Amino acid sequence: MHSTDPLLRVEALRSAYGRIEALHGVSLSVASGEIVALVGGNGAGKTTLLRAISGVQPMTGGSLSFQGRDISRASPHARVAAGIAQVPEGRQIFAPLAIEDNLRLGAYLRKDAEIASDLERVYDLFPILKERRRNPAGGLSGGQQQMLAIGRALMSRPKLLLLDEPSMGLAPVLVDQVFEIIQRLNREDGVTVFLVEQNAFAALSIATRGYVIETGEIAMEGKGAALLADERVREAYLGV
Amino acid sequence: MGKLLSHRLAVPVVIALLVVALSFAMPSNFYYRVAALVWISALAVIGLNLLMGYAGQVSLGHAGFFGIGAYAVAVLPAQFGLHPLVAALAGAVATAAIAFLVGRPILRLKGHYLAVATLGFGILIAMTISNEAWLTGGPDGMPVERLTLFGWRVRGADTWYWISGGLLVIGAWIACNLVASPTGRALRALHDSEVAARVAGIDVARAKLTVFVISAVYASVAGSTLALVNGFVTPDKANFLHSIELVTMVVLGGMGSILGSLAGAAILVVLPQVLTGFHDYEHMILGLIMMVIMIVLRAGIVPSLAAFFQGRRNK
Ligand SMILES: Nc1ncnc2c1ncn2[C@@H]1O[C@H](COP(=O)(O)OP(=O)(O)OP(=O)(O)O)[C@@H](O)[C@H]1O
Ligand SMILES: [Mg+2]
């Protein structure tokens, strides 16, 4: 890995559902230590892009590299092993399984001795999960499920955390809480974050850099604060 | 941790106690024989339940694997003079290899498509057994050499009761360990959401293939045991109706419940014996009882009763 290589580089990535192309050549990069936000409206292609990065959505063109190595053809579990963890859209926790089993599944590929201490770290971040760790995850509220989904992703010890609309369906207080946690992970644990959001304000507020995606193409990029101040962004995504 | 250990052992211990306790209540050889048939079916059903109840994948072809195990102990000793135990082992290895080869393409399918593909596989095995009469005796079946261990001829319904009961306990113990292991967690996870399982790092295709092979081996061992108990094999144990019967036992007893597998097997083996007194109405009554069980205990016998008693205790 060159020291100048970004952690993640997406180049001219294309992806399609059948004959309908959803991403028309997306290029972006995420450097180690950053929080990068990708904002865009309904159906812009945010989820498709995240799924292509984690490997559960096939790509039809372009390339992906992680830590300088091409991962375009790597299987999803190989990408997890390499250090990419995704918190999928709509959380997708394993509802019938116990909360702790959900978390242990996040560490499925690990064999090291530090799983137990990482579990404690997650319980530190989200005390409610510890209280109810033997209960089925399906009984958690929406916000708690989002925390569980983040905790599960953390259990793989990711270098890069992919978050798909962590604020979706959450009350404003909870949105603030979740974004605070994301910042803490970035600051205290050194996790690089790539975050996809319709809630442009919350996302760009904590982002080092941001991209705007419109109908499968990157329309704008810049520093988080700069995009927040941009007229077009304010009009299109902040409703001001 | 202590709780986990006791939980892993709880089910096999309960089954072992049941096997021992029932042996005191057996009025005749006929009862020993029926009970042995229950243990053997339950062994196959536990295997199928790992696939269906835990991983959420259906197989309508498991009787094919059962047949491979049964015919292995019939054909290999007769043709090549192999010891029946070696033959059973060879049958299990062959079953694992076939399940591995067939499972790779088939397990990509989902739901009804998977059901039909496994159905086709089962029919293929049953047809092969029926057609190759020179080797298998065709539709009439063939005799199975009696099992001899260290010069001792294994015979008698009570002896087979203990052997098959022992195999069932071992099978239940292995299954409970598998379920409690990371692999077991992965199976339940992919049952719930394949995409979420993938992004958690689970190789979904491999996890499915692993449990498919394991469940096929359970069926094969059960088939070998039944052939040795009966001293005779016929192709009907490899055919589609037997596959359906195994699936029914899984669902009736309870998906994802090891004890349920035993309950399902017990009902479908014992009830027809009890109902023979009703002559022409036997099958109608059996069907009616099955329907009522599913309507009243919709999660299957053991999980529904467990939930019921849990609910009462919490009140
Ligand atoms: N499973 C699918 N089959 C067919 N088309 C799909 C599928 N999923 C998404 N699409 C299409 O691909 C495009 C991008 O969808 P995507 O889900 O990536 O958008 P998004 O930015 O995540 O939207 P949202 O903010 O609503 O989640 C949309 O036009 C959508 O209709
Ligand atoms: Mg989306």
Side-chain angles (χ1 to χ4, degrees):
Chain A
M1 178 177 170
H2 277 270
S3 56
T4 54
D5 276 334
L7 185 61
L8 174 77
R9 185 191 291 282
V10 179
E11 257 172 26
L13 189 142
R14 289 171 181 277
S15 185
Y17 295 97
R19 282 202 206 144
I20 300 165
E21 196 176 69
L23 297 176
H24 318 291
V26 170
S27 299
L28 54 81
S29 67
V30 179
S32 222
E34 279 189 310
I35 297 181
V36 174
L38 176 74
V39 299
N42 266 320
K46 304 182 296 297
T47 296
T48 310
L49 176 64
L50 273 207
R51 288 166 51 94
I53 295 172
S54 65
V56 290
Q57 162 75 21
M59 23 192 289
T60 49
S63 71
L64 274 175
S65 63
F66 186 68
Q67 296 189 294
R69 273 205 308 268
D70 184 77
I71 54 160
S72 312
R73 272 172 193 61
S75 64
H77 51 95
R79 296 183 201 196
V80 174
I84 302 178
Q86 187 186 4
V87 178
E89 186 175 52
R91 301 160 195 130
Q92 305 238 20
I93 51 139
F94 303 116
L97 274 70
I99 288 166
E100 185 154 310
D101 282 342
N102 269 267
L103 292 173
R104 287 190 184 282
L105 275 160
Y108 183 70
L109 290 173
R110 288 173 56 184
K111 293 198 168 51
D112 55 284
E114 286 164 50
I115 295 176
S117 64
D118 284 1
L119 198 57
E120 281 314 309
R121 168 70 177 150
V122 171
Y123 285 147
D124 251 12
L125 288 168
F126 310 114
I128 183 71
L129 298 182
K130 181 167 193 171
E131 246 167 69
R132 305 177 58 175
R133 62 187 195 274
R134 307 238 175 273
N135 299 356
L140 293 174
S141 72
Q144 294 164 344
Q145 291 191 7
Q146 187 64 61
M147 290 167 190
L148 178 59
I150 294 174
R152 183 181 64 194
L154 290 177
M155 287 302 291
S156 68
R157 281 229 168 156
K159 300 188 179 78
L160 175 64
L161 184 62
L162 308 173
L163 293 155
D164 195 340
E165 302 217 33
S167 77
M168 199 199 323
L170 299 188
V173 200
L174 280 174
V175 174
D176 290 347
Q177 246 183 52
V178 167
F179 278 85
E180 240 173 71
I181 294 277
I182 295 168
Q183 278 181 293
R184 238 178 105 189
L185 290 172
N186 178 256
R187 217 179 324 117
E188 295 171 17
D189 304 53
V191 180
T192 305
V193 175
F194 183 51
L195 169 71
V196 148
E197 264 297 343
Q198 280 202 42
N199 186 341
F201 182 76
L204 291 174
S205 301
I206 66 161
T208 345
R209 286 188 308 116
Y211 293 88
V212 176
I213 186 169
E214 274 167 13
T215 56
E217 275 168 302
I218 299 292
M220 252 187 275
E221 68 168 289
K223 291 240 183 321
L227 285 178
L228 260 184
D230 187 283
E231 274 309 313
R232 287 168 298 169
V233 176
R234 292 174 73 85
E235 220 169 284
Y237 300 105
L238 303 176
V240 284
Chain B
M1 195 66 208
K3 202 179 161 198
L4 194 73
L5 275 177
S6 64
H7 183 69
R8 281 191 200 192
L9 279 176
V11 169
V13 166
V14 166
I15 296 179
L17 290 176
L18 191 69
V19 172
V20 173
L22 270 183
S23 74
F24 291 106
M26 290 291 162
S28 72
N29 262 340
F30 172 74
Y31 286 81
Y32 272 117
R33 186 180 144 69
V34 172
L37 295 181
V38 171
W39 305 152
I40 293 166
S41 286
L43 186 63
V45 175
I46 287 176
L48 186 56
N49 210 339
L50 290 174
L51 181 71
M52 287 179 59
Y54 290 95
Q57 311 297 311
V58 71
S59 168
L60 294 183
H62 254 49
F65 298 124
F66 195 97
I68 294 171
Y71 275 85
V73 294
V75 172
L76 296 179
Q79 294 281 331
F80 307 105
L82 286 188
H83 188 275
L85 283 190
V86 178
L89 190 67
V93 171
T95 298
I98 292 169
F100 182 80
L101 292 175
V102 174
R104 279 168 83 110
I106 271 191
L107 289 167
R108 289 206 199 117
L109 306 173
K110 292 194 195 342
H112 300 110
Y113 303 98
L114 178 63
V116 171
T118 50
L119 178 70
F121 164 78
I123 291 175
L124 189 71
I125 298 288
M127 292 302 288
T128 309
I129 290 173
S130 286
N131 288 344
E132 306 301 317
W134 59 277
L135 193 64
T136 63
D140 299 333
M142 70 183 285
V144 177
E145 191 185 294
R146 285 292 173 187
L147 179 62
T148 312
L149 289 174
F150 314 111
W152 167 58
R153 269 171 65 93
V154 179
R155 59 194 306 172
D158 51 344
T159 312
W160 282 113
Y161 172 95
W162 290 110
I163 294 175
S164 52
L167 283 173
L168 175 64
V169 171
I170 295 169
W173 179 69
I174 294 173
C176 286
N177 273 291
L178 180 79
V179 167
S181 75
T183 308
R185 258 201 307 270
L187 294 177
R188 285 184 293 153
L190 74 87
H191 186 178
D192 194 48
S193 162
E194 282 196 21
V195 169
R198 278 207 177 94
V199 299
I202 295 164
D203 185 341
V204 168
R206 208 178 83 180
K208 283 188 196 172
L209 189 58
T210 305
V211 70
F212 187 66
V213 169
I214 291 172
S215 77
V217 169
Y218 269 84
S220 175
V221 172
S224 297
T225 314
L226 183 69
L228 288 169
V229 172
N230 285 344
F232 204 86
V233 287
T234 50
D236 61 327
K237 281 294 167 195
N239 82 12
F240 148 72
L241 278 176
H242 188 219
S243 286
I244 301 292
E245 194 180 10
L246 292 173
V247 170
T248 310
M249 288 170 174
V250 169
V251 177
L252 212 56
M255 301 251 276
S257 165
I258 303 293
L259 272 182
S261 304
L262 175 56
I267 295 246
L268 281 200
V269 172
V270 173
L271 264 189
Q273 306 288 346
V274 175
L275 295 175
T276 43
F278 292 92
H279 304 291
D280 296 350
Y281 298 106
E282 178 195 332
H283 290 107
M284 283 173 64
I285 297 174
L286 182 62
L288 195 68
I289 291 176
M290 283 165 58
M291 277 176 60
V292 169
I293 290 178
M294 283 327 295
I295 290 167
V296 177
L297 308 170
R298 38 188 81 187
I301 296 168
V302 170
S304 296
L305 290 180
F308 177 73
F309 286 115
Q310 195 120 44
R312 279 180 45 143
R313 201 180 324 149
N314 290 348
K315 252 182 212 155

